[in-house]
Amino acid sequence: MIKVVSRIVTAAVGVPAIVLLSLRGGWPFFLLVLALAMAGLFEYYRLTHVPLLLQCCGYLLGTVLLITVDVQGLQHSWLVFTGGVVLLLCVVLFGFADYSFEQAGAALLGVCYVPMLLSYLLLLRALPQGQKLTVLTFVLTWTVDSAAFLIGSRLGHQRLAPRISPHKTWAGALAGLGGSVAVSIWAASYVGLSLTVATVMGAAVGIAAMVGDLVESALKRLAKVKDAGNILPGHGGILDRFDALLLVAPTVYFVLSGWR
C-alpha cells in the first residue's frame, strides 16, 4: 500500500511538472533534460561499475553534447562525440595500469544510451509544433507503460521475454501498442499530423517503448539488481521510469523527419 501511494504521489507531482516544462521550453526544459540525463547516466555507471575518472569524462561529454544539440541541433554533435572518444582513449592510454578499454567502452556506451538518446527531446522541441509534439511524446510513452501494466497484469499469461523480464507479457505488449496507436490517432489533428503519419508513429512508439523497457531490464538483470535507483519514490530510479522514453524520443523524431 505504501508503495502504491508513493507511486501515485510521485506521478501526481512529476507528470504536471514535465508537461509544464515541455510547454515552457527554453532553458527550463533544457535543464529538465539535462537533469534526467545526468541522473540516468549516474545510475548506468553504478550498474556497470565504471571507474570515477571515466564517469567524470562521461558526465562532461554528455553535458557538452546536450548543450551543443540545444544550441545548434545535430550540426556539430559528432565533433563533440569524437572529442569525447579521444578523451576517453587518452585516459586509458595514460592510465593504462588502472583503466581498461572495456571500461572506457562502457563509459562511452552510457553517453550514447542516456544523454544522446534524450537529446532527441531537444530536437523534437525545436520542430514546428514542437511544443505539442514533445508533450505527445511523453503521453504516448506513459500510455504504453500504463496499458501494458493494466492489461498484462490481468490478462497476460504468455511471457514476452522470460529470461530478461518475467513479468512482461505478450498481452501487455499488444495492449501498449494498441494504446499508443489509438492515442496518436486521437491527437493527430491537435498536433497537425495526417492519420497515416499518426498511425505509423503510434505503432513505432509502441515497439520502441517495449524495446527500451527490455533493454533496461536486461541491464538490471546483468547487474543483479531490482531497480536502477531509488530517486523516485515508488518508481525506482530515473532509468526505471524513463527507460522507454530513451528509445521513444528518437523514434518519434525519425518518423516525423521522414515525412517532412
Side-chain angles (χ1 to χ4, degrees), residues 151-152 156-162 167-176 210:
I151 302 300
H157 300 291
Q158 188 170 359
R159 304 303 175 187
L160 178 64
H167 297 297
K168 292 179 176 60
T169 65
W170 280 103
L174 292 175
M210 287 183 285

Side-chain angles (χ1 to χ4, degrees), residues 140-141 143-145 148 160 168-170 172-182 184 198-216 243-252 255:
L140 289 177
T141 306
T143 298
V144 175
D145 286 343
L160 178 64
K168 292 179 176 60
T169 65
W170 280 103
L174 292 175
L177 180 62
S180 178
V181 172
S184 185
T199 302
V200 172
M201 187 174 75
V205 165
I207 296 171
M210 287 183 285
V211 174
D213 200 337
L214 288 173
V215 167
E216 197 256 351
D243 50 2
L245 181 67
L246 292 175
L247 290 188
V248 168
T251 297
V252 172
V255 170

Side-chain angles (χ1 to χ4, degrees), residues 127-140:
L127 290 175
Q129 297 289 328
Q131 185 184 56
K132 297 176 181 178
L133 289 170
T134 303
V135 173
L136 179 60
T137 299
F138 281 105
V139 170
L140 289 177

